[in-house]
Amino acid sequence: SCASHSCTCLPYVCLQPLYREALEVLKSTTGPEDPVTQQCMYGLAECLREQEKFEEAEPIWRQVLEVRTRLLG
């Protein structure tokens, strides 16, 4: 499973590799639209935001928003 994006006990920079690894596994096993995969994508985007890597975070946030909008209406 994915590390919680709300965890403040570790710096986001340390969690970024974990999110990337978890996403790789989740996308291949549960698919890109699975809620847990989406949670990990959001967490990765938050990690990138904390590092002020906004250009890298934005497309991930957009993907999450697109899937959530399509699935939840």
Side-chain angles (χ1 to χ4, degrees), residues 15-29:
L15 295 177
Q16 184 183 4
L18 298 174
Y19 278 116
R20 291 189 188 278
E21 185 178 335
L23 272 174
E24 189 175 314
V25 171
L26 287 167
K27 283 183 177 180
S28 66
T29 57

Side-chain angles (χ1 to χ4, degrees), residues 1 21 41-42:
S1 78
E21 185 178 335
M41 290 177 69
Y42 181 83

Side-chain angles (χ1 to χ4, degrees), residues 45-64:
E46 281 296 299
C47 287
L48 295 168
R49 182 189 62 81
E50 286 290 319
Q51 297 173 49
E52 298 184 2
K53 296 181 178 180
F54 306 116
E55 289 181 8
E56 193 175 348
E58 182 180 6
I60 298 169
W61 273 323
R62 289 187 184 276
Q63 288 176 358
V64 171

